[in-house]
Amino acid sequence: MPRAALRKPSPDLDLSAWLKMPEDLPPMLSSQSLFGNDLPLEIEVGSGKGLFIQTESERRPGHNYFGIEIAKKYAAHAAARLAKRKRANAMMLAGDATPLFASGTYVEGEQYGQPAVERIASGSLEAVHVYFPDPWWKKRHRKRRVLSESNIRQFSRCLRTGGRLHFWTDVLDYFELTVELIAEIAPELGVPLPETQRESTHDLDYHTHFERRSRKFGIPVYRVHYIKRDRSR
């Protein structure tokens, strides 16, 4: 189902503290470099309209939230949500998550500057959130999926022991293949743990806009999270 058209944020709304471009980022991404504190850092890959990052940053003020959305107009929309609420523990990036998670590889393109060995330190993240990613239906396009083999490895690398990887989708094929892939290449993430659907009390009381759409149309949603284990034990 195609995304709905968005209104541009008001030109009077200053997004500078909440909307970043790749060239605005520090060489290393951490709570200290992004927010100036040492709170646990959680990253959402593919924030869409920003409902999750808006509500979760309010629900858990003791955590920082960094949302990454490749579509600039959606990143701006999500940032506007945060700006209107003066959310100090959340911000958006309009850009691609893959180069930021990459480790030890050269990243082409000037927009990210000179590539660092690790833009996100190993074991530094509290959680990675991936909700309703583009399924890239054609088999030849599956390498573009957010939960590709290389990205799964990097997400796991960046999580601390005890950190969480959250994955929700309404595409059963994507869900089953991803669960199998994680079991094969990232055993340190353990088994998938189901996340239960909670009842919504109002029209925007959903995890994301895609969850709202799926539930309104009776489309099943597959929800799991993983907890990274210490493989030395």
Side-chain angles (χ1 to χ4, degrees):
M1 186 177 296
R3 287 177 166 181
L6 289 181
R7 292 182 181 179
K8 291 184 178 180
S10 168
D12 298 327
L13 186 62
D14 182 6
L15 299 182
S16 58
W18 291 275
L19 180 61
K20 305 299 180 182
M21 299 296 123
E23 59 270 20
D24 300 328
L25 296 178
M28 294 288 292
L29 304 184
S30 66
S31 275
Q32 191 59 240
S33 66
L34 293 170
F35 297 95
N37 60 49
D38 294 315
L39 296 177
L41 178 61
E42 305 193 23
I43 293 182
E44 182 187 18
V45 179
S47 297
K49 295 179 182 178
L51 181 58
F52 169 76
I53 198 169
Q54 171 200 318
T55 56
E56 198 70 2
S57 61
E58 179 181 21
R59 190 176 75 88
R60 304 187 75 184
H63 287 215
N64 291 324
Y65 293 87
F66 185 58
I68 305 175
E69 171 56 50
I70 198 167
K72 185 176 179 180
K73 65 180 180 179
Y74 281 85
H77 183 86
R81 287 176 173 272
L82 303 175
K84 289 175 182 177
R85 294 161 178 83
K86 304 295 183 184
R87 207 54 55 78
N89 65 328
M91 68 175 65
M92 290 295 307
L93 169 71
D96 185 0
T98 298
L100 302 181
F101 279 92
S103 173
T105 57
Y106 183 83
V107 179
E108 297 287 348
E110 296 181 357
Q111 66 169 341
Y112 286 93
Q114 293 299 314
V117 173
E118 288 186 2
R119 298 293 300 273
I120 303 172
S122 296
S124 66
L125 297 183
E126 181 71 18
V128 175
H129 302 266
V130 182
Y131 299 119
F132 301 92
D134 190 328
W136 291 105
W137 296 100
K138 295 181 180 179
K139 191 171 183 179
R140 68 177 183 272
H141 291 157
R142 285 183 180 173
K143 62 183 179 181
R144 301 180 186 178
R145 288 180 169 180
V146 169
L147 286 163
S148 64
E149 180 174 339
S150 58
N151 281 347
I152 290 169
R153 293 184 189 278
Q154 294 300 339
F155 295 163
S156 180
R157 175 187 67 80
C158 293
L159 288 172
R160 69 169 180 84
T161 299
R164 295 164 285 109
L165 171 63
H166 295 263
F167 169 47
W168 294 17
T169 181
D170 55 7
V171 180
L172 180 58
D173 175 69
Y174 196 170
F175 177 77
E176 291 177 336
L177 289 175
T178 300
V179 168
E180 291 175 4
L181 183 60
I182 291 173
E184 178 184 348
I185 69 170
E188 70 276 9
L189 292 176
V191 299
L193 303 171
E195 294 191 344
T196 58
Q197 172 181 307
R198 62 177 174 79
E199 293 302 317
S200 300
T201 59
H202 56 81
D203 193 48
L204 285 180
D205 187 17
Y206 295 92
H207 217 59
T208 74
H209 283 89
F210 274 90
E211 187 199 19
R212 174 179 177 269
R213 179 209 63 177
S214 295
R215 287 174 60 177
K216 282 184 176 292
F217 286 96
I219 301 170
V221 176
Y222 309 97
R223 307 170 177 86
V224 292
H225 72 275
Y226 293 83
I227 300 176
K228 186 176 179 181
R229 303 178 295 184
D230 184 351
R231 296 189 68 181
S232 66
R233 295 181 179 180

